[in-house]
Amino acid sequence: RTICATIHQPSSSVFEMFDDLLLMKKGGRVVYHGALGKSSCNLIAYFRAHGAAPINRGENPGTWMLTVITDPSSVDDQGNQIDYSEVWKESDEYKALNDQIEEAEDNPDDDKKISFESKYACPKRVRQRIVNERLVLIYWRSPTYNRIRLIVSLFIAFLLSSVFITNRRPAVSSEAQMTSIFSTIFISFIIIGVMSITTVLPVMLKIRDVFYLHRAAGMTDHRDLNQALAVAEKRFICLGSACFCLVFYFTIGLELSFNKFLAFWGFFTFNLALYSYFGQAFMCSVRGMATAQILNSVFIGINNFFSGLIVRPQYLSGFFLAPYYITPGHYVYEGLIVSQFTGDYRLVTTNEGSEYDDWVRALPAEDRPYCPSAQPCEETQYCCPTDCCGTVEQFMDSFFGGFFNAGNLLQDILVLGLFLVTARVMTYYSLKFFNYTST
């Protein structure tokens, strides 16, 4: 078996383990190539024959040879400093080595031909498992990326939802209260998403640059790393989302329903995955951190503006509807809101003259049973404390102009899945075609 190793300044015991040596000086220029011999006798004899100072008793040959080729006091008979790379090109050893190479090229020995059944030393399945385990270990050993991220998620979840802890899920809400809940849900998925996409960049940069070296050495390829990145990240995405939702969902007072909690967790997990995977894709697509941060900023800005709260969809028209429909945050936000408030018949009082008040009063009488003017209070399931009330579901329909509705949930899931595939494809081809380091 042949072992090739790169070493800079070995100890004498390590140096004696080598059979042959390729010695280069600054600039990658060869100064010696050949067998070391017993106790490095061949190496020492070569340099002594070309003007090197004698080696001292007990001196490490590895240290001595480096001193020889860098010593400015080494001069030839004419007083010129010896350039051992030029000496090597004129030496008999160099000529003999070239003769051996030419002989091997002209008359190859098939018995010595090196061939392998496959490009890699192990099958694809085994190689993928090893890369997956390696990436998972790297993630686990990155506490500033993962453990701190989980702790911050728990803190933010409680901080945002605790505003409602003294008035969780009231039977009758005001327009302002419902708007606050919608806004808090929006802020929650934006803040956690921003944290995910910004923290993934430095980790991805290190993994990407190491991958370039491994690919150049023939150890792995882009397919292995792309899948390993998804495997390693998804564990922390699901865990981080679960930690956040368990605190946020029950503290803010959303409905105690397993199906609704599962839907909320599912869309929130989609959000975390989108931000994390697009962060990976951006870092693999461009050369440096600064450019990736610019792409992150654009992604965050679009999700902020066109998700449906800062500018609600009914107020968008023409060209501005296009970014609304291609913004991942729009589908996340719609899923979070619709999955929770569809079928919610708690009352929301109307403010006289508000859009919601006009919207409710414009409904047919049978659709506004909580307005005492339409139906006496004692004949309804709920009692409206003011002149007119609507339901939470009706408030949602009015607030988003009918754009957010339960009929869109399947579409939301499919579109978010398409965005995830897009992020993984971007990462795949970026790893395949780009190389931003010298390997």
Side-chain angles (χ1 to χ4, degrees), residues 8-240:
H8 297 282
Q9 193 166 355
S11 64
S12 56
S13 58
V14 172
F15 196 65
E16 287 299 322
M17 297 172 66
F18 288 90
D19 299 309
D20 297 275
L21 173 69
L22 172 60
L23 178 62
M24 294 184 289
K25 63 182 295 185
K26 187 175 181 180
R29 301 168 67 191
V30 177
V31 295
Y32 178 79
H33 185 197
L36 286 174
K38 183 176 176 59
S39 299
S40 304
C41 61
N42 293 349
L43 174 72
I44 296 171
Y46 170 80
F47 281 110
R48 289 288 292 120
H50 294 92
I55 186 172
N56 298 321
R57 176 180 287 275
E59 186 176 3
N60 179 4
T63 303
W64 174 78
M65 70 179 183
L66 296 177
T67 302
V68 167
I69 65 174
T70 58
D71 185 6
S73 63
S74 297
V75 295
D76 56 19
D77 296 339
Q78 286 75 37
N80 299 319
Q81 183 176 352
I82 300 176
D83 184 350
Y84 281 99
S85 63
E86 296 299 326
V87 171
W88 168 252
K89 292 178 182 178
E90 301 297 328
S91 66
D92 294 336
E93 289 83 352
Y94 177 77
K95 295 182 178 64
L97 181 61
N98 278 336
D99 291 341
Q100 292 179 21
I101 294 173
E102 291 176 1
E103 175 64 24
E105 290 177 344
D106 295 338
N107 302 295
D109 187 348
D110 292 337
D111 293 337
K112 296 181 179 180
K113 184 178 180 180
I114 300 176
S115 60
F116 301 96
E117 295 181 357
S118 62
K119 181 178 180 180
Y120 298 102
C122 57
K124 164 68 177 175
R125 177 179 56 81
V126 176
R127 190 170 70 250
Q128 187 65 66
R129 177 178 56 80
I130 294 172
V131 177
N132 289 352
E133 292 172 353
R134 174 66 175 165
L135 259 293
V136 171
L137 185 61
I138 290 174
Y139 269 57
W140 182 249
R141 290 177 176 175
S142 304
T144 54
Y145 176 54
N146 285 305
R147 278 170 257 178
I148 298 300
R149 183 171 62 165
L150 294 177
I151 294 172
V152 172
S153 295
L154 291 171
F155 174 76
I156 293 175
F158 182 76
L159 181 66
L160 293 176
S161 59
S162 61
V163 175
F164 303 90
I165 200 169
T166 58
N167 191 25
R168 298 170 62 253
R169 200 169 177 77
V172 180
S173 302
S174 66
E175 290 187 43
Q177 286 175 313
M178 289 307 305
T179 302
S180 297
I181 291 176
F182 288 175
S183 300
T184 302
I185 292 174
F186 172 81
I187 293 170
S188 69
F189 85 82
I190 289 293
I191 289 179
I192 298 300
V194 170
M195 182 180 69
S196 297
I197 201 171
T198 53
T199 54
V200 77
L201 292 185
V203 176
M204 189 63 237
L205 177 62
K206 294 178 182 178
I207 294 173
R208 183 199 73 177
D209 290 348
V210 171
F211 161 73
Y212 291 150
L213 298 174
H214 288 173
R215 180 175 60 184
M219 296 171 61
T220 187
D221 66 5
H222 58 282
R223 290 180 291 269
D224 299 331
L225 181 62
N226 186 57
Q227 182 175 332
L229 285 170
V231 169
E233 188 71 43
K234 72 180 181 182
R235 303 183 181 198
F236 293 96
I237 289 172
C238 293
L239 179 60

Side-chain angles (χ1 to χ4, degrees), residues 306 313-325 403:
F306 291 105
Q314 63 266 36
Y315 301 124
L316 296 170
S317 61
F319 167 79
F320 292 101
L321 274 174
Y324 169 74
Y325 282 111
F403 279 79

Side-chain angles (χ1 to χ4, degrees), residues 303-354:
N303 276 283
N304 270 319
F305 196 79
F306 291 105
S307 289
L309 180 71
I310 294 179
V311 179
R312 282 178 270 168
Q314 63 266 36
Y315 301 124
L316 296 170
S317 61
F319 167 79
F320 292 101
L321 274 174
Y324 169 74
Y325 282 111
I326 64 171
T327 298
H330 147 218
Y331 300 96
V332 172
Y333 191 40
E334 181 176 23
L336 292 173
I337 294 295
V338 171
S339 66
Q340 299 309 304
F341 301 109
T342 296
D344 190 338
Y345 300 113
R346 291 176 298 138
L347 299 184
V348 180
T349 59
T350 65
N351 298 332
E352 186 176 354
S354 69

Side-chain angles (χ1 to χ4, degrees), residues 194-421:
V194 170
M195 182 180 69
S196 297
I197 201 171
T198 53
T199 54
V200 77
L201 292 185
V203 176
M204 189 63 237
L205 177 62
K206 294 178 182 178
I207 294 173
R208 183 199 73 177
D209 290 348
V210 171
F211 161 73
Y212 291 150
L213 298 174
H214 288 173
R215 180 175 60 184
M219 296 171 61
T220 187
D221 66 5
H222 58 282
R223 290 180 291 269
D224 299 331
L225 181 62
N226 186 57
Q227 182 175 332
L229 285 170
V231 169
E233 188 71 43
K234 72 180 181 182
R235 303 183 181 198
F236 293 96
I237 289 172
C238 293
L239 179 60
S241 178
C243 290
F244 182 92
C245 292
L246 283 170
V247 174
F248 182 86
Y249 189 92
F250 297 106
T251 305
I252 200 174
L254 297 176
E255 185 176 342
L256 296 178
S257 164
F258 176 77
N259 289 338
K260 288 197 172 186
F261 174 79
L262 188 64
F264 190 89
W265 174 78
F267 280 104
F268 205 88
T269 303
F270 262 127
N271 180 65
L272 271 180
L274 282 168
Y275 276 90
S276 298
Y277 288 146
F278 270 106
Q280 290 180 350
F282 293 153
M283 193 68 258
C284 293
S285 301
V286 298
R287 179 177 296 277
M289 180 75 72
T291 310
Q293 288 172 338
I294 293 173
L295 294 177
N296 276 6
S297 299
V298 173
F299 185 81
I300 292 168
I302 291 175
N303 276 283
N304 270 319
F305 196 79
F306 291 105
S307 289
L309 180 71
I310 294 179
V311 179
R312 282 178 270 168
Q314 63 266 36
Y315 301 124
L316 296 170
S317 61
F319 167 79
F320 292 101
L321 274 174
Y324 169 74
Y325 282 111
I326 64 171
T327 298
H330 147 218
Y331 300 96
V332 172
Y333 191 40
E334 181 176 23
L336 292 173
I337 294 295
V338 171
S339 66
Q340 299 309 304
F341 301 109
T342 296
D344 190 338
Y345 300 113
R346 291 176 298 138
L347 299 184
V348 180
T349 59
T350 65
N351 298 332
E352 186 176 354
S354 69
E355 290 184 6
Y356 177 52
D357 183 67
D358 295 339
W359 190 86
V360 171
R361 294 181 186 276
L363 292 172
E366 62 272 16
D367 293 330
R368 47 186 175 93
Y370 308 115
C371 291
S373 58
Q375 189 172 353
C377 181
E378 60 271 11
E379 296 181 15
T380 66
Q381 181 181 359
Y382 301 97
C383 188
C384 178
T386 62
D387 178 59
C388 192
C389 295
T391 66
V392 171
E393 182 179 23
Q394 288 173 337
F395 180 81
M396 176 187 70
D397 290 339
S398 168
F399 189 82
F400 295 105
F403 279 79
F404 282 20
N405 62 79
N408 293 339
L409 282 178
L410 179 59
Q411 169 192 288
D412 295 336
I413 294 171
L414 294 176
V415 173
L416 289 172
L418 181 61
F419 275 117
L420 284 179
V421 172

